[in-house]
Amino acid sequence: MKRRTFISLLGGAAAWPVAARAQQAGMPVVGFLGGGSPVTDANRVSAFRQGLSETGYVEGKNVAIEFRMPTSAH
């Protein structure tokens, strides 16, 4: 489980510069790549949002979050 969390966070960090270059002038966009479903990743998403807010970013006010999670497990 820890490996999956690390890979998810690493993937999200890697996607951040790509999203930043692709956006129009205005609100920054942060990518969140999850390994599970929105239900199973709920704690990680909550911690991610809390971490952003601790650094001054509030979703919808001064940052947008793009979520990408698998649609089905194989």
Side-chain angles (χ1 to χ4, degrees):
M1 189 67 142
K2 290 182 181 182
R3 180 176 174 224
R4 184 178 292 173
T5 302
F6 174 75
I7 291 170
S8 295
L9 293 174
L10 184 63
W16 190 347
V18 173
R21 279 193 301 266
Q23 72 185 6
Q24 300 295 325
M27 190 179 302
V29 178
V30 177
F32 184 95
L33 300 175
S37 71
V39 174
T40 60
D41 280 351
N43 288 336
R44 285 187 210 114
V45 171
S46 177
F48 181 69
R49 285 183 171 128
Q50 180 181 350
L52 283 174
S53 70
E54 289 172 1
T55 58
Y57 292 100
V58 179
E59 184 179 10
K61 284 191 169 188
N62 57 2
V63 69
I65 303 174
E66 290 284 329
F67 293 93
R68 297 292 185 265
M69 296 182 184
T71 56
S72 64
H74 290 49

